[in-house]
Amino acid sequence: MPTWTEDHLRSAVTDAATLKRGVDLASPSKWNNLGLSPRAVWGECQGSGTKPYQVIIDRSGPAFKCSCPSRTFPCKHGAGLMVLAVRDSALISEATEPEWVNTWLTKRDAKETAKAEPIATKAPADPEAQAKREAQRVKRMAEGLYELERWLIDVARTGLATLQAQPLATWEAQAARLVDAQLPGLANRLHEMWPMRGERTGELRDALGELYLLVIAAKRSPELPPEFAAEVQQQLGVTVRKEDVLKESTPVNDQWWVLGQLITEEDRLTQRRTWLYGLRGERYALLLDHAFGSQGFTSTYITNAVYEGGLHFYPGPFPLRAFALELHLRPEVSPVARPSFPPMAELERVSEWISANPWARSFPIWISDVVPTVHKDRWYLRHASGLLPMRCSDVEGWSLTAQSGGTPMNIFGEWNGRALLPVRATLENAAS
Amino acid sequence: MTTSIDERRSERLSLLGTAQANESLELPDDLEQALIGKDDAAAHRLLIALGTASLMRKAGQLPIPSDSFPALDKAPDEPLPALGPLGEQCMQAILEEEDGELLSTYLDLLNAHQRRIPAGFIVPLMALATNNKALAQRVLIHAGERGAWLAKHHPNWNTLLKPDTSASDPWNTGTPAQRATYLVELRRRDPAAARELLAAGLKQESSKELPELLRTLHAGLSLADAPVIEPLLKSKARDVRASAAALIARIPDHPGQATLFNLSSARLELKGNMILGRKLEVSLPEAYDPSWAAFGIEPKSARYPTERTAWLGQMIALVNPQRWCERFDRKPEDLVPLAQKNEFSATLLAAFADAALLHEHPPMIVALLRAAMTTDDHALWHQVRGADLWAAVDNNTAESMLLTLVEHAVRSRENSDRLAWLLNGSTRAFSPPLAERLLNWFEHMAPKPDDSFNWAQAHQLSHALRRSLPPACSSRVDAMIKSLRDTTAPAYLKLLEQLAKRLRLRQRMIDSINEPSPTP
């Protein structure tokens, strides 16, 4: 039986509504012909129609397949089968793969192999039209940058007190203009600044200053070294095509340990940030995925599992963001390395990263021997050498405190220059 | 030449704005170069200063001194083992179902087997118990040392496990419940001292708390208690008078009982003969006699239909039903039908029910319950305080009555609402024979897709089955689902699926209790 746990289930089925429907479906009376092989788990689920849905989970992902018409991925049937596999594993015993399971797995293998092949870059259908579109885009971006710079100058002239009195609509209008100018990254920064008014004026001041520096850098992009220019373009929100990354980069092969995932949702768009750590190369990687509405993510990464394969890193002076063409689960590999350091050592590393890439907004750090603690409604990580502020809700803070019980933990998270957003926490004496 | 950025000045400038401020910033020379030829140079200068200062601060960030505030102490070691992976799965399922009742059941199991909640579940379970203080307390208690440690530090939980400050002097500083508990304990050890304590404070006690304190006299009630109770029949508070009257009616050999029985027996007689049939004959009092107040009989009572029936009803309600059985030489199961046939049946049945509960007379309780259960007359159920009677019967009697009702329900669908209600209100685990018959009934009543159906009853019944059916019945339910799949309304199948799911979870809860604890 696959050694999937509740954590695996939650990593694989990230949509809470789908998971709930899956839990409701995880009843033996709903399923027939359940089975498992070294490659897959499968079963037939009785839906509302006369013909049962054929459901398969490829164990190498896990990857889901279901014959139902749902566009949600994984669908409730896939989720239900995984819930059964986790919670009622005795119901699923080893069996020979039926024809339909074998067919799908073979097709999937072929697809995966094809994916790993270099993507042939298609020549544009109409190079002239494309050049024209590109020129228009560059012009719109330049106008947007000019307008944002004027707005920032106006803010500096009239002062933060005036800015903070402005209604949300003013900020939103400015952000909307940036979206129209194809600068969504800058629009997001404005959205993030709105809640900083009032008590977080210091942060707002910093954010405005850094935004200005980014605008100036973007305007002078052609003068920058290529990796800096690429980083600035990404910060503006310009999409870098995977084909272009593939052309420019070679894959970094490693055994990638999934440290944890951060899932956020805004306006029905779900963002998943998956942090990986290369066991051989000892480097971090960030996989960024998006899913709209109830649709799930096209790939699944199980927290704490190890995957083998190559990652392609997006260009930049300190590349972190990457994508994978093919990663295979390696259940037999258990990570033993715990690259955590005292806070001071990690902050020194952050300092070096900022020198290398002043545009980066968050840094992966992994600190050792810290105890989560609260003081005057603010959360900190206490180390013998000092305290680091933490960005977390009360529920998250108290959950960490409950797990720690005052004993030191190793905590991995995203450091934004002011505070740490925890992604993964383990007790000092835990296995990993 | 400037080599650094004046952060304080840039902060002041940023608040006021460069247009209004009377001061200006200086930047290091290399940064000043970028401003040559710019309009609004002061604003540009400020923004460069803010951005640069922010980056420098991020790059030079140091930890905050660790002595800024005291460190947390360490949670004590745990004497009890935490639940293992299966237990964690069960906890997760309980959180998914947001079911406080199920959590409570699981905590009972943890308590019985000396296991504790894993630390990672304390906070989510406390969130589930947010609106249920008693459950929240239990979560913290069953979270072991970690729970107590967290409660000590959490601002909203630190009152939940605070030691009872009234422990040293519960009688003077405790809550009403604590005072009653203290009195019960004292009465068990030293009845005279308990009586004395109660009597000394009677005048100061509030009429709200007094009935609860008087209830402590139920155990070991004797003639010695009468002097404490009798003055309370003149209390201004109706509840106090009623509590006192009920106690006096139960004191063995209290002279008032004989008087009361004589008073009421003159107004309730068994008449007729073998040929014409027996019947109860009632003669209602013509007027209220103020001397009746000494027995706790009120001039008015809303429990009875009229003023005159209320006087008689209250008299009968205080008399031990055994006296009627002996006087008429009839068993309760014979007396109840006679009362039902009487023109004053509402009065007689209500009074018999009150008396049966007051004097804890099982045969009369069962006779009244049988009468109320075998009819759909909701008024009768309320008259005889069916819910109170049901709560007073012992497990074996309840089981046997339920079996009879299930048989009846399988034969005809009459009274099944009442049965569903009884099952739902019962906290007793169903025995295997009862479980089997209930499942047969559930299968028997399965509606076809287009049938009109009593869904409220089905939901009530399924709720009761989810809670009290033995978990081993899950495979039987799965088989039912398969056999009913093509013929039954989908909503009914869903009820069955929920039932099977709950039974499996309850089985896992039981299995998890003996699972080894994970190594720390």
Side-chain angles (χ1 to χ4, degrees):
Chain A
M1 194 59 231
T3 49
W4 289 328
T5 65
E6 289 284 326
D7 285 345
H8 294 154
L9 176 63
R10 270 165 189 72
S11 303
V13 189
T14 49
D15 178 46
T18 305
L19 179 60
K20 189 168 184 343
R21 286 193 283 270
V23 168
D24 289 342
L25 269 182
S27 156
S29 57
K30 288 259 179 194
W31 294 84
N32 282 314
N33 302 324
L34 287 161
L36 81 107
S37 70
R39 295 198 298 171
V41 179
W42 63 86
E44 292 178 346
C45 181
Q46 189 60 54
S48 48
T50 48
K51 212 174 157 191
Y53 297 123
Q54 295 176 324
V55 192
I56 313 168
I57 307 177
D58 180 341
R59 292 170 65 177
S60 70
F64 296 81
K65 163 75 181 166
C66 180
S67 61
C68 79
S70 169
R71 295 175 66 186
T72 302
F73 187 84
C75 66
K76 63 180 180 180
H77 308 103
L81 182 57
M82 192 158 182
V83 173
L84 266 186
V86 171
R87 299 186 183 172
D88 285 298
S89 54
L91 296 169
I92 309 175
S93 49
E94 286 196 30
T96 310
E97 287 169 5
E99 182 63 30
W100 53 275
V101 174
N102 191 283
T103 307
W104 181 71
L105 289 171
T106 311
K107 267 189 197 168
R108 182 175 148 74
D109 283 347
K111 260 191 202 169
E112 290 292 311
T113 313
K115 253 205 307 189
E117 303 284 327
I119 299 170
T121 314
K122 281 186 198 166
D126 183 351
E128 208 172 303
Q130 196 202 25
K132 199 174 164 189
R133 280 197 301 273
E134 180 61 18
Q136 279 173 343
R137 185 179 71 87
V138 171
K139 184 167 174 273
R140 267 198 297 270
M141 284 172 65
E143 286 167 357
L145 286 170
Y146 175 78
E147 200 178 333
L148 179 61
E149 186 186 1
R150 292 314 311 162
W151 182 78
L152 288 166
I153 293 297
D154 203 37
V155 168
R157 289 184 71 254
T158 53
L160 287 183
T162 309
L163 175 70
Q164 297 195 71
Q166 286 180 352
L168 175 62
T170 313
W171 293 69
E172 281 186 336
Q174 183 62 39
R177 282 197 285 275
L178 290 170
V179 172
D180 291 344
Q182 294 184 308
L183 297 165
L186 300 184
N188 281 344
R189 288 196 181 218
L190 278 193
H191 281 303
E192 287 167 15
M193 283 184 210
W194 167 255
M196 294 177 188
R197 296 158 315 117
E199 286 183 9
R200 292 164 62 195
T201 303
E203 283 180 62
L204 179 59
R205 196 164 35 230
D206 287 355
L208 286 167
E210 285 191 42
L211 181 58
Y212 173 81
L213 295 186
L214 178 60
V215 170
I216 299 302
K219 284 174 73 180
R220 296 175 61 180
S221 217
E223 300 166 37
L224 298 174
E227 69 273 19
F228 277 90
E231 175 71 33
V232 168
Q233 291 294 302
Q234 285 174 61
Q235 293 292 338
L236 299 183
V238 176
T239 310
V240 182
R241 296 190 315 159
K242 285 186 179 174
E243 295 93 311
D244 294 338
V245 177
L246 283 170
K247 255 196 311 190
E248 302 293 328
S249 69
T250 49
V252 178
N253 289 300
D254 209 329
Q255 289 182 337
W256 297 100
W257 179 10
V258 183
L259 299 180
Q261 297 184 324
L262 291 169
I263 294 175
T264 50
E265 197 181 332
E266 198 177 323
D267 295 336
R268 301 196 69 219
L269 183 70
T270 309
Q271 188 194 63
R272 183 179 69 184
R273 295 166 71 80
T274 306
W275 281 101
L276 308 178
Y277 183 77
L279 293 178
R280 288 194 290 258
E282 298 184 356
R283 70 179 289 182
Y284 291 107
L286 172 65
L287 308 181
L288 200 57
D289 297 286
H290 293 93
F292 186 73
S294 61
Q295 288 181 351
F297 296 100
T298 51
S299 52
T300 303
Y301 300 105
I302 294 173
T303 300
N304 215 28
V306 174
Y307 290 79
E308 179 109 39
L311 293 185
H312 290 269
F313 283 82
Y314 286 83
F318 179 71
L320 275 175
R321 194 182 158 202
F323 68 87
L325 287 182
E326 192 180 21
L327 285 181
H328 289 290
L329 186 65
R330 293 285 306 274
E332 75 281 9
V333 180
S334 53
V336 286
R338 281 181 290 162
S340 51
F341 300 94
M344 199 56 224
E346 284 294 76
L347 291 183
E348 275 170 14
R349 219 147 54 90
V350 167
S351 181
E352 286 165 21
W353 282 336
I354 292 175
S355 307
N357 180 9
W359 317 116
R361 306 191 67 204
S362 64
F363 312 91
I365 66 171
W366 203 337
I367 48 175
S368 57
D369 296 312
V370 285
V371 178
T373 183
V374 65
H375 180 64
K376 293 188 177 170
D377 297 332
R378 287 178 188 242
W379 286 92
Y380 299 88
L381 292 171
R382 179 183 287 280
H383 185 267
S385 62
L387 297 152
L388 286 189
M390 223 183 353
R391 285 184 285 155
C392 67
S393 67
D394 260 1
V395 169
E396 290 161 339
W398 282 111
S399 290
L400 275 180
T401 309
Q403 287 173 60
S404 140
T407 54
M409 305 181 96
N410 292 335
I411 296 192
F412 168 80
E414 288 184 5
W415 175 257
N416 69 351
R418 288 176 175 269
L420 182 80
L421 178 66
V423 176
R424 166 199 186 83
T426 49
L427 286 172
E428 276 287 286
N429 57 358
S432 59
Chain B
M1 188 180 105
T2 306
T3 55
S4 62
I5 289 167
D6 184 342
E7 279 203 53
R8 284 185 181 279
R9 187 175 293 186
S10 58
E11 277 176 25
R12 279 199 303 275
L13 269 173
S14 67
L15 272 179
L16 285 171
T18 53
Q20 295 180 61
N22 297 323
E23 54 186 342
S24 61
L25 269 176
E26 283 181 40
L27 292 179
D29 288 348
D30 50 345
L31 291 176
E32 278 290 345
Q33 293 291 318
L35 298 176
I36 295 171
K38 291 251 185 200
D39 293 336
D40 288 320
H44 283 284
R45 195 173 282 118
L46 172 63
L47 287 165
I48 289 174
L50 293 179
T52 311
S54 172
L55 284 175
M56 287 168 66
R57 208 176 301 117
K58 273 161 67 172
Q61 177 83 47
L62 293 173
I64 301 164
S66 54
D67 58 359
S68 306
F69 56 88
L72 278 183
D73 57 340
K74 212 170 149 187
D77 290 341
E78 297 286 356
L80 299 181
L83 287 169
L86 187 57
E88 291 188 353
Q89 264 185 25
C90 295
M91 288 289 179
Q92 191 59 50
I94 289 170
L95 287 170
E96 279 162 13
E97 300 204 6
E98 297 177 4
D99 192 330
E101 188 182 329
L102 193 60
L103 173 59
S104 184
T105 308
Y106 202 21
L107 294 180
D108 288 340
L109 270 174
L110 262 64
N111 187 44
H113 293 81
Q114 294 292 289
R115 300 298 294 261
R116 71 178 159 83
I117 299 169
F121 283 90
I122 301 173
V123 175
L125 290 176
M126 286 300 284
L128 177 64
T130 298
N131 298 320
N132 185 340
K133 189 178 166 187
L135 187 59
Q137 281 172 330
R138 294 187 66 207
V139 168
L140 289 176
I141 289 166
H142 292 295
E145 293 292 342
R146 191 64 55 93
W149 179 83
L150 266 183
K152 187 173 77 179
H153 294 290
H154 195 293
N156 299 337
W157 304 345
N158 56 19
T159 52
L160 290 175
L161 293 188
K162 270 207 169 143
D164 183 4
T165 52
S166 64
S168 57
D169 187 9
W171 181 248
N172 290 313
T173 61
T175 61
Q178 286 169 331
R179 299 182 71 217
T181 307
Y182 174 77
L183 204 56
V184 166
E185 181 56 25
L186 180 62
R187 189 170 165 80
R188 194 180 58 76
R189 283 185 281 115
D190 186 350
R195 262 193 301 276
E196 199 179 317
L197 189 65
L198 184 61
L202 275 182
K203 285 184 182 167
Q204 288 81 44
E205 296 294 348
S206 82
S207 53
K208 273 188 185 172
E209 286 189 21
L210 205 44
E212 186 165 351
L213 293 178
L214 289 176
R215 268 193 289 278
T216 65
L217 299 177
H218 275 231
L221 192 63
S222 72
L223 269 176
D225 297 313
V228 182
I229 304 165
E230 282 163 351
L232 296 173
L233 289 167
K234 291 178 185 163
S235 166
K236 285 181 185 167
R238 188 189 180 98
D239 285 351
V240 175
R241 292 197 302 271
S243 298
L247 282 169
I248 292 203
R250 296 188 65 219
I251 294 175
D253 304 324
H254 190 280
Q257 287 172 16
T259 317
L260 191 63
F261 181 60
N262 291 338
L263 202 60
S264 50
S265 61
R267 302 178 188 284
L268 179 65
E269 290 183 275
L270 189 65
K271 292 279 176 75
N273 54 42
M274 294 286 282
I275 298 160
L276 294 172
R278 298 281 188 180
K279 65 172 191 174
L280 287 171
E281 196 167 282
V282 171
S283 50
L284 297 176
E286 292 297 327
Y288 180 77
D289 183 340
S291 68
W292 295 344
F295 306 108
I297 294 164
E298 301 284 341
K300 291 182 191 302
S301 169
R303 177 143 167 75
Y304 300 94
T306 65
E307 201 173 50
R308 291 173 66 200
T309 56
W311 301 329
L312 178 64
Q314 289 178 85
M315 287 177 199
I316 297 172
L318 291 168
V319 172
N320 190 327
Q322 190 57 32
R323 285 186 177 255
W324 299 113
C325 294
E326 286 164 9
R327 175 159 189 238
F328 299 142
D329 192 21
R330 289 286 182 278
K331 290 178 181 166
E333 55 265 39
D334 301 324
L335 277 181
V336 170
L338 293 175
Q340 281 180 284
K341 283 184 209 156
N342 193 277
E343 65 174 308
F344 298 106
S345 64
T347 300
L348 292 177
L349 291 168
F352 281 154
D354 286 352
L357 288 165
L358 174 66
H359 293 279
E360 295 168 12
H361 193 266
M364 182 59 90
I365 288 173
V366 172
L368 287 164
L369 259 180
R370 284 197 199 284
M373 281 178 175
T374 46
T375 156
D376 269 342
D377 185 351
H378 291 286
L380 173 61
W381 179 255
H382 291 293
Q383 276 160 16
V384 300
R385 295 167 56 189
D388 295 334
L389 294 175
W390 179 244
V393 293
D394 64 80
N395 281 355
N396 289 341
T397 311
E399 175 102 6
S400 125
M401 293 177 91
L402 283 173
L403 278 170
T404 313
L405 279 176
V406 177
E407 294 296 337
H408 185 71
V410 171
R411 282 197 303 275
S412 70
R413 296 194 173 184
E414 286 174 26
N415 295 325
S416 39
D417 274 350
R418 173 73 29 77
L419 174 57
W421 182 91
L422 287 173
L423 292 168
N424 213 23
S426 172
T427 53
R428 305 167 172 107
F430 300 153
S431 67
L434 179 59
E436 181 56 31
R437 279 191 221 182
L438 283 169
L439 285 174
N440 285 344
W441 181 42
F442 211 54
E443 192 166 17
H444 177 81
M445 71 195 277
K448 298 212 164 21
D450 299 325
D451 281 358
S452 64
F453 186 64
N454 186 345
W455 285 104
Q457 177 196 303
H459 277 276
Q460 253 190 346
L461 181 59
S462 101
H463 184 261
L465 295 177
R466 282 205 295 268
R467 190 181 53 204
S468 303
L469 214 56
C473 292
S474 68
S475 49
R476 165 85 170 85
V477 179
D478 283 333
M480 265 168 73
I481 295 169
K482 286 200 169 166
S483 77
L484 293 171
R485 185 180 306 287
D486 299 330
T487 55
T488 305
Y492 200 75
L493 283 174
K494 191 159 189 175
L495 281 183
L496 284 168
E497 279 157 7
Q498 286 169 348
L499 171 59
K501 183 178 149 197
R502 172 56 59 88
L503 295 177
R504 278 195 299 279
L505 175 55
R506 284 181 40 219
Q507 185 61 57
R508 282 205 303 273
M509 281 160 56
I510 293 165
D511 295 344
S512 73
I513 284 299
N514 295 316
E515 185 188 29
S517 186
T519 43

